[in-house]
Amino acid sequence: MILPLFKNHKMEDQRVKVAQLLKKSKYSMAFTGAGISVESGIPPFRGELGLWNKYDPKVLDIDYFHSNGKRAWFFIREIFYEFFGKAQPNNAHRVLARLEHSGLLQAVVTQNIDNLHQLAGSKHVFEFHGNSNRLVCTECGRLSDISDINLEDIPPHCPVDGSILKPDFIFFGEGIPPLAYEKSFEAARDCEVCLIIGSTGEVTPAAYVPNTAKRNGAVIIEINPEESLFTHSITDIHLRGKAGEELRIIENLLFE
Ligand code: NAD
C-alpha cells in the first residue's frame, strides 16, 4: 500500500521527502534492474523494445548452452560483449556511487550483469545474477577476466584445462550465487530505506529482496517511468521518471 501521506504529495515534494529520508536513514540500499541501464543504451529483456523481441531466450538456457555451446556463444558474444560491452555508466549509476561515498547509501543489490555500477565507482555491490565481465570454466570453475580472453574464436576455452568457458552470470535453470543471495537479503533486513530502480518485479527470487525490506519496516522508494509489480504492493513513494533524471534531481537536493 502506498502511504496516503506520500501518495498525494506533488512530485517536487516527493523528491524532497526522498532526499530527507536518505539523509536521515542509517542504512539505505538500492535494488536495481535493467531500467537503470536503459539510459546507457542497454535495452531491457522485456517490453516493447526488449531484447526478447529480437533474440530467443533459449540462448540463455543452461541446457541449451551445454548442448550447443558454439551456437549459444554466437548470440552471447553479440548481445553481451559486442553490444553491452561498449556501454558506459549513466547519471543514475554515478549518483548511486556518490551517495555511497558520502555515506548515504550502504549497498547496491543489482540484478544487472553489465558491471556499470562497479565502473561508476560503487563498492558494495551484490551481484544477484552475476557479472558478464568474468567468465567461468564449466569444468574447473576458474574465473577469467573478459579482457584476458579472445572472443574471436568461440566458444572460448579455459586457459588452465581447455574446457568451455561460460559467462559468470546465471542462465535460466541456474541458481543464484549463494554469497550474493545471502548478502542481498541481509541488506534488505538491515535497511531503513530501499530504492527500487528500474525493475518490473517479475524476476524471482530477486523481487523478494525489496519485499523483505518492506516486511522489515523499510520505506520503499521506486524510480521507474512505468508502474511495476511493486508499485501498488509495497511502494511508498513512486518517482515516475527516468532513473538518471530523477537521481540527478535528488543529488542536487542533497549536495547543492
Ligand atoms: P526488469 O525487471 O529489469 O525491468 C525493466 C524496468 O525498467 C521496467 O519496469 C521499465 O519500466 C523500467 N525502465 C525503463 N527505462 C527506465 C529508465 N530510464 N529509468 C528507470 N526505469 C526504467 O526487466 P527485464 O529487462 O525483463 O530483466 C530481466 C532480468 O534480466 C533482470 O534481472 C534484469 O536486471 C536482467 N537484465 C539485465 C540487463 C543489464 O545487465 N543491463 C539488461 C537486460 C536484462
Side-chain angles (χ1 to χ4, degrees):
M1 186 190 76
I2 299 184
L3 298 179
L5 180 68
F6 298 136
K7 195 179 181 183
N8 296 326
H9 276 189
K10 287 208 281 304
M11 194 75 150
E12 293 77 24
D13 298 343
Q14 289 183 321
R15 292 173 182 137
V16 171
K17 185 76 201 165
V18 170
Q20 287 169 345
L21 284 163
L22 286 170
K23 251 189 201 162
K24 204 170 125 219
S25 159
K26 287 193 265 320
Y27 192 112
S28 297
M29 65 172 278
F31 171 79
T32 66
I36 196 169
S37 296
V38 165
E39 288 157 89
S40 293
I42 301 180
F45 285 158
R46 292 175 173 74
E48 217 181 309
L49 302 171
L51 286 170
W52 295 152
N53 292 325
K54 185 170 172 203
Y55 296 98
D56 186 338
K58 85 170 177 219
V59 301
L60 289 187
D61 183 284
I62 193 64
D63 294 332
Y64 183 81
F65 180 85
H66 285 310
S67 47
N68 301 275
K70 193 174 173 73
R71 181 137 187 85
W73 256 108
F74 179 81
F75 292 107
I76 289 167
R77 179 175 63 186
E78 184 170 300
I79 304 171
F80 297 100
Y81 299 100
E82 292 172 359
F83 180 40
F84 278 35
K86 296 188 179 67
Q88 290 300 314
N90 64 52
N91 271 331
H93 301 102
R94 198 182 50 68
V95 173
L96 292 186
R98 183 170 183 192
L99 290 176
E100 182 184 331
H101 295 158
S102 310
L104 297 174
L105 188 75
Q106 279 60 46
V108 175
V109 174
T110 189
Q111 300 167 82
N112 295 344
I113 53 152
D114 54 27
N115 202 44
L116 294 183
H117 287 298
Q118 293 85 340
L119 264 183
S122 288
K123 301 285 179 224
H124 289 103
V125 183
F126 304 131
E127 300 168 338
F128 208 82
H129 292 156
N131 190 316
S132 61
N133 263 27
R134 298 181 303 261
L135 301 180
V136 59
C137 175
T138 48
E139 276 306 314
C140 71
R142 182 182 189 272
L143 293 172
S144 299
D145 194 279
I146 188 65
S147 57
D148 296 330
I149 302 295
N150 178 3
L151 286 187
E152 270 164 36
D153 283 332
I154 48 171
H157 291 98
C158 175
V160 175
D161 67 11
S163 303
I164 292 187
L165 293 171
K166 174 191 160 293
D168 191 28
F169 57 74
I170 60 160
F171 281 37
F172 297 120
E174 290 192 293
I176 307 300
L179 189 63
Y181 185 95
E182 191 188 309
K183 293 282 180 194
S184 300
F185 281 99
E186 197 177 288
R189 283 189 297 271
D190 287 348
C191 75
E192 294 172 14
V193 170
C194 175
L195 297 162
I196 304 176
I197 307 171
S199 177
T200 54
E202 285 174 24
V203 179
T204 56
Y208 303 145
V209 172
N211 282 299
T212 300
K214 178 72 174 184
R215 266 204 312 280
N216 283 272
V219 177
I220 308 292
I221 297 157
E222 186 172 7
I223 305 180
N224 194 322
E226 307 294 334
E227 291 188 345
S228 73
L229 291 182
F230 300 117
T231 312
H232 296 290
S233 55
I234 62 168
T235 296
D236 295 306
I237 301 178
H238 183 189
L239 300 182
R240 199 166 181 160
K242 293 182 177 175
E245 292 173 7
E246 289 300 325
L247 282 169
R248 260 307 280 278
I249 299 171
I250 303 295
E251 180 185 34
N252 285 341
L253 289 169
L254 283 167
F255 300 108
E256 273 155 40

